[in-house]
């Protein structure tokens, strides 16, 4: 009986032998850590950077629209770290290549506020992981104030090797888990407006005269849906983006 030939398209084909695996190129990993406001994303980003640097690895720390308005990662528990501000026109591949041209290593890239990346920039991060073995750690909010995915977050969900919800409970005022980031002005949940709006500053909202202070509050699905901010909203302010 002639030997049966294995089907190279068989999804259940055997794992290559060790010698064959050595021919497979090593690749980096693209990870996305996501969660609502106040769940500790920026704190985790700073911890990952600390752990990587302690092992002698060299990295780039990037941010876009940090709540402080400065080129830094700011944690609500009071820790900060200088970072490089990147806007939507920056090619992240060229940023890394520029460091190489200066003789500097780049072993990893950390991006805070990754929801503000463009889809093209997420593609660039995936290319860095696949082609030049750079490990990429992205941290951000999944959905905007309308409960819709940010374009950058959507692309990260599509491409990332690992999707990690940040495991710190954030509670709605009612005590239930909260994952919706409500935009609030004058005690009312706002349903329309620009996707990107750093809050707790006087902003001119559509049909708003004079300007009004805008802030964010995390809510459970039910209270987000009905716009219920709970009792004594004006005096709480625990989730301000100062």
């Amino acid at each position: 009986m002639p030997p049966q030939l294995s089907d190279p398209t068989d999804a259940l084909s055997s794992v290559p032998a060790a010698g064959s695996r050595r021919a497979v190129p090593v690749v980096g990993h693209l990870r996305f850590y996501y969660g609502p406001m106040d769940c500790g994303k920026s704190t985790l980003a700073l911890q990952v950077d600390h752990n990587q640097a302690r092992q002698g690895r060299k990295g780039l720390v990037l941010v876009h629209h940090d709540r402080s308005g400065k080129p830094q990662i700011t944690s609500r528990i009071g820790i900060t770290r200088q970072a490089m501000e990147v806007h939507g026109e920056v090619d992240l591949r060229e940023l890394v290549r520029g460091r190489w041209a200066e003789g500097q290593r780049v072993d990893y890239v950390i991006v805070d506020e990754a929801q503000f990346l463009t889809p093209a920039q997420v593609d660039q991060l995936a290319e860095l992981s696949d082609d030049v073995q750079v490990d990429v750690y992205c941290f951000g909010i999944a959905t905007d104030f309308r409960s819709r995915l940010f374009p950058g977050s959507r692309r990260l969900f599509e491409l990332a090797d690992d999707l990690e919800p940040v495991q710190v409970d954030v509670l709605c005022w009612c005590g239930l888990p909260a994952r919706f980031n409500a935009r609030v002005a004058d005690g009312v949940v706002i349903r329309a407006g620009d996707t990107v709006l750093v809050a707790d500053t006087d902003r001119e909202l559509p049909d708003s005269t004079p300007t009004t202070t805008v802030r964010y509050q995390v809510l459970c699905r039910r209270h987000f849906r009905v716009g219920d901010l709970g009792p004594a909203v004006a005096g709480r302010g625990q989730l301000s983006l100062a």
Side-chain angles (χ1 to χ4, degrees), residues 2 18 97-98 106 109 121 137 147 156 163 165 170 180 193 202 224 228:
R97 290 175 185 138
V106 178
V109 173
Q121 286 175 319
Y137 303 88
S147 75
L156 281 163
L163 297 169
V170 180
F180 294 89
D202 286 341
F224 174 82
D228 187 348

Side-chain angles (χ1 to χ4, degrees), residues 181-220:
N181 306 294
R183 181 180 292 174
V184 181
D186 292 333
V188 176
V189 174
I190 303 299
R191 307 289 185 180
D194 294 336
T195 301
V196 179
L197 179 64
V198 179
D200 282 355
T201 55
D202 286 341
R203 300 280 183 169
E204 290 188 10
L205 297 178
D207 303 321
S208 174
T209 304
T211 58
T212 186
T213 299
V214 184
R215 66 181 183 87
Y216 290 95
Q217 181 174 337
V218 289
L219 299 171
C220 67

Side-chain angles (χ1 to χ4, degrees), residues 141-204:
I141 297 171
T143 57
D144 64 17
F145 72 102
R146 302 165 300 176
S147 75
R148 298 174 184 170
L149 286 170
F150 283 96
S153 299
R154 180 185 297 111
R155 193 61 177 146
L156 281 163
F157 275 111
E158 293 166 346
L159 291 185
D161 299 295
D162 300 301
L163 297 169
E164 301 284 350
V166 178
Q167 301 293 337
V168 174
D169 289 337
V170 180
L171 301 180
C172 178
W173 62 267
C174 67
L176 291 176
R179 64 181 183 89
F180 294 89
N181 306 294
R183 181 180 292 174
V184 181
D186 292 333
V188 176
V189 174
I190 303 299
R191 307 289 185 180
D194 294 336
T195 301
V196 179
L197 179 64
V198 179
D200 282 355
T201 55
D202 286 341
R203 300 280 183 169
E204 290 188 10

Side-chain angles (χ1 to χ4, degrees), residues 16-228:
S20 299
R21 290 201 302 272
R22 294 192 188 101
V24 178
V26 177
V27 297
H29 282 81
L30 173 58
R31 297 177 173 90
F32 182 35
Y33 299 84
Y34 63 94
M37 295 184 318
D38 248 21
C39 72
K41 297 180 300 298
S42 295
T43 304
L44 181 57
L46 295 170
Q47 183 66 57
V48 169
D49 178 51
H50 173 74
N51 291 348
Q52 294 282 322
R54 283 197 64 181
Q55 299 305 318
R57 307 189 83 206
K58 303 296 182 182
L60 277 177
V61 180
L62 311 177
V63 71
H64 189 36
H65 289 308
D66 183 74
R67 68 180 66 89
S68 68
K70 301 176 182 178
Q72 61 185 24
I73 295 177
T74 306
S75 167
R76 286 190 174 87
I77 65 174
I79 307 171
T80 62
R81 164 79 155 81
Q82 287 299 115
M84 180 181 297
E85 179 81 18
V86 291
H87 53 77
E89 301 302 317
V90 173
D91 187 320
L92 302 180
R93 298 165 302 183
E94 292 302 320
L95 198 61
V96 171
R97 290 175 185 138
R99 289 298 179 98
W100 291 339
E102 296 170 357
Q104 301 181 40
R105 281 171 36 209
V106 178
D107 301 310
Y108 65 94
V109 173
I110 288 177
V111 185
D112 197 23
E113 307 295 352
Q115 70 271 12
F116 297 133
L117 294 171
T118 66
Q121 286 175 319
V122 176
D123 289 343
Q124 293 160 14
L125 292 173
E127 183 176 326
L128 287 170
S129 292
D130 292 341
D131 295 350
V132 293
Q133 296 82 54
V134 172
D135 288 320
V136 180
Y137 303 88
C138 292
F139 303 83
I141 297 171
T143 57
D144 64 17
F145 72 102
R146 302 165 300 176
S147 75
R148 298 174 184 170
L149 286 170
F150 283 96
S153 299
R154 180 185 297 111
R155 193 61 177 146
L156 281 163
F157 275 111
E158 293 166 346
L159 291 185
D161 299 295
D162 300 301
L163 297 169
E164 301 284 350
V166 178
Q167 301 293 337
V168 174
D169 289 337
V170 180
L171 301 180
C172 178
W173 62 267
C174 67
L176 291 176
R179 64 181 183 89
F180 294 89
N181 306 294
R183 181 180 292 174
V184 181
D186 292 333
V188 176
V189 174
I190 303 299
R191 307 289 185 180
D194 294 336
T195 301
V196 179
L197 179 64
V198 179
D200 282 355
T201 55
D202 286 341
R203 300 280 183 169
E204 290 188 10
L205 297 178
D207 303 321
S208 174
T209 304
T211 58
T212 186
T213 299
V214 184
R215 66 181 183 87
Y216 290 95
Q217 181 174 337
V218 289
L219 299 171
C220 67
R221 183 179 64 226
R222 176 173 178 270
H223 289 129
F224 174 82
R225 181 172 53 80
V226 300
D228 187 348

